[in-house]
């Protein structure tokens, strides 16, 4: 019985994760949580589960974008700003930078009322300007992560495999940055589609400007004579890369 409950929780969670919508602005993407209200620590953990962090709202553009996406719900939302010093302006972003005077324009009541208001949220009652509040208060939250850069390419090549049902191919590509993709997906098909050959493609090595794939014939367990094969690939980069 216990095991069953555990499995249900896991599969429900993965369904929920699959349905998340990320809103992109520039090189960041934002998720506006719309579930059970949680305290600040739980909001931090929930974003971490999505490989994200609570959102940093440092510009008018980001503030307005989030307000637009929130679309006038009656909810409050934690952001990635908390107090490191009891003075009214003693706040730090979760990227380690201190709150600046410019950024604090969105904070109407960062007053540390009662001396225990160490977390910051977008407050519905103030048109989503910021308020400081006790970190134990439960509410929704906004997560932020880097948007992906996705690059695709394709090429045709004469490939054969005399003895094995698979062969290894190295693919070099040019890019205006030196980061390695965090994932490469590839597929392969015969240029002559009348041939029955079918391939499975597995990426085995991923480096900057280079990846290696294992091209495996799957229609039958066999090698094949020299044939022109079209390989299509898609590389996923985190936008934290330095472009030159
Ligand atoms: C988070 O990143 C890890 C490691 O890169 C990855 O295995 C995992 O699938 C990611 N989780 C989500 C929800 O994207
Ligand atoms: C915003 O909310 C209004 C009223 O609830 C709704 O009609 C509209 O479709 C929403 N817009 C978006 C983009 O979700
Ligand atoms: C948002 O909703 C409130 C009622 O919940 C309403 O009074 C207010 O005018 C709405 N604001 C906008 C910008 O639609
Ligand atoms: C950030 O603020 C803290 C305390 O308010 C201060 O001690 C620290 O020097 C500040 N850091 C920077 C880089 O200004
Ligand atoms: C890259 O993907 C786009 C959109 O899916 C497609 O139109 C284009 O042909 C692809 N480019 C290559 C080189 O495969």
């Amino acid at each position: 019985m216990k095991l069953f409950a555990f499995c249900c929780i896991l599969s429900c969670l993965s369904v929920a994760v699959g349905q998340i919508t990320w809103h992109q602005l520039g090189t960041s993407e934002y998720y506006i949580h719309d579930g059970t209200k949680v305290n600040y620590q739980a909001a931090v953990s929930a974003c971490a589960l999505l490989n994200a962090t609570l959102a940093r709202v440092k510009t008018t553009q980001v503030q307005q974008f989030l307000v637009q996406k929130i679309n006038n719900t009656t909810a409050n939302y934690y952001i990635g700003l908390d107090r490191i010093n009891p003075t009214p302006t003693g706040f730090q972003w979760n990227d380690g930078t201190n709150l600046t005077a410019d950024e604090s324009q969105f904070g109407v009541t960062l007053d540390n009322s009662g001396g225990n208001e160490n977390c910051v949220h977008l407050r519905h009652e103030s048109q989503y300007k910021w308020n400081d509040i006790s970190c134990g208060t439960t509410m929704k939250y906004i997560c932020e992560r880097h948007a992906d850069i996705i690059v695709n390419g394709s090429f045709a090549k004469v490939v054969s495999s005399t003895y094995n049902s698979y062969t290894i191919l190295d693919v070099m590509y040019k890019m205006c940055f030196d980061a390695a993709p965090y994932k490469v997906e590839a597929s392969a098909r015969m240029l002559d589609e009348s041939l029955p050959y079918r391939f499975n493609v597995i990426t085995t090595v991923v480096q900057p400007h280079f990846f290696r794939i294992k091209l495996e014939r799957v229609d039958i367990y066999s090698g094949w004579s020299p044939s022109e094969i079209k390989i299509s690939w898609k590389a996923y980069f985190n936008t934290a890369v330095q472009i030159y």
Side-chain angles (χ1 to χ4, degrees), residues 129-149:
K129 286 192 180 289
W130 309 347
N131 176 50
D132 54 357
I133 196 161
S134 154
C135 301
T137 310
T138 61
M139 65 181 75
K140 300 185 183 188
Y141 51 86
I142 301 175
C143 304
E144 174 179 357
R145 68 177 185 187
H146 289 292
D148 284 341
I149 294 174

Side-chain angles (χ1 to χ4, degrees), residues 3 11 18 56-58 68-69 74 84 89 100 104 112 114 121 129 141 147 153 168 173 180 196 199 219 221 240 242:
L3 187 64
S11 52
R56 290 160 295 285
V57 189
K58 298 187 177 185
Q68 182 207 335
K69 295 300 174 192
T74 55
I84 53 165
T89 54
T100 66
S104 47
N112 205 10
H121 68 119
K129 286 192 180 289
Y141 51 86
I168 304 294
Y173 62 93
F199 297 99
D219 56 315
Y221 186 79
Q242 288 293 322

Side-chain angles (χ1 to χ4, degrees), residues 152-154 232:
N152 63 346
S154 64
S232 303

